[in-house]
């Protein structure tokens, strides 16, 4: 279970990297910047999905 906690925050790291990549490519190639922005938003969504799933898994035994 410890590795899932680490992977959850790894998604935020990927989101930051893709956001930096989008900012870097914005003036040169807008299409590539939009793809990087899409992956950044997807990584943030995966972070919140994993967080919710982890909470649900922990609360499963507390019935």
């Amino acid at each position: 279970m410890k590795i899932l906690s680490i992977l959850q925050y790894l998604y935020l790291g990927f989101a930051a990297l893709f956001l930096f990549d989008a900012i870097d490519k914005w003036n040169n190639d807008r299409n590539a910047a939009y793809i990087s922005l899409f992956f950044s938003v997807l990584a943030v969504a995966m972070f919140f999905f994993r967080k919710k799933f982890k909470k649900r898994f922990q609360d499963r035994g507390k019935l």
Side-chain angles (χ1 to χ4, degrees), residues 8 10-11 14 16 18 20-22 27 29-31 33-34 38 42-44 48 52 57 59 61-62:
Q8 175 182 342
L10 191 63
Y11 283 115
F14 280 123
F18 281 123
F20 176 74
D21 186 46
N27 288 332
D29 188 13
R30 289 269 169 110
N31 289 331
Y34 287 138
F38 170 74
L42 185 66
V44 170
F48 286 114
K52 183 179 177 182
F57 187 74
D59 290 343
K62 294 182 183 179

Side-chain angles (χ1 to χ4, degrees), residues 7 10 12 15 18 20 24 26 33 35-36 50-51 57-58:
L7 287 177
L10 191 63
L12 286 180
F18 281 123
F20 176 74
D24 189 41
W26 187 259
I35 292 171
S36 293
R50 288 283 188 171
K51 188 174 181 179
F57 187 74
Q58 287 176 347

Side-chain angles (χ1 to χ4, degrees), residues 4 6 9 11 13 16-17 19-20 22-24 31-33 38 41 44 46 48-49 56 58-59 61:
L4 292 177
I6 295 170
Y9 290 103
Y11 283 115
L17 285 174
L19 186 62
F20 176 74
I23 291 170
D24 189 41
N31 289 331
F38 170 74
V41 169
V44 170
M46 283 299 295
F48 286 114
F49 175 76
R56 186 181 297 168
Q58 287 176 347
D59 290 343

